[in-house]
Amino acid sequence: MLSSTQQGADDPLIVGLIKIGFAEIGNSEVRFRETFLSESLRAIDGHLGSHEILLGNKIDVHELQREKIDSTVAAVIQRVIDADERISEPILNERLRMFVLDIAFFRRHAVDTGVLGRTQDGAMYWLAAS
């Protein structure tokens, strides 16, 4: 497939390429699967980008480096609250639950670092002015 030598579909290398989705058998020949690259890029992006949460991975504050905590909290908060939005604590908690394990820590730390504003009674939250 990638060389000038002819290899059969039972060749261990070809079997491996078919197994990972790189190649397919069609018309009695082994050929490159044209969708392999786009599918692979989507899968990689899912692990590296904002869709990682869909894979079930949640942020554990105990696994973060100390110097990354503030920026991670800010990034999560900015993802769950729109700039012009005021939300209740239960709604904020539900949104945070999708991303983090320790909801209370993220909520409190965001207030302590000035990322979030809140009412005196803690009932409503909003993004603080940056």
Side-chain angles (χ1 to χ4, degrees), residues 42-119:
R42 272 195 303 277
I44 290 169
D45 184 51
H47 285 282
L48 300 178
S50 61
H51 300 307
E52 181 179 10
I53 189 63
L54 299 175
L55 302 172
N57 301 325
K58 293 185 181 182
I59 299 167
D60 183 352
V61 70
H62 302 293
E63 293 179 359
L64 294 173
Q65 296 171 358
R66 185 178 294 282
E67 63 272 7
K68 299 277 186 181
I69 291 174
D70 290 355
S71 62
T72 302
V73 168
V76 170
I77 293 298
Q78 290 165 355
R79 182 165 300 264
V80 301
I81 301 179
D82 290 331
D84 59 347
E85 188 174 36
R86 293 176 71 91
I87 61 174
S88 68
E89 184 175 304
I91 291 173
L92 175 59
N93 289 345
E94 284 306 309
R95 292 181 185 182
L96 287 172
R97 187 178 322 283
M98 294 186 301
F99 293 94
V100 302
L101 293 175
D102 191 340
I103 296 162
F105 174 84
F106 271 72
R107 189 186 63 244
R108 292 176 185 145
H109 195 75
V111 171
D112 292 345
T113 57
V115 175
L116 272 181
R118 74 172 173 191
T119 57

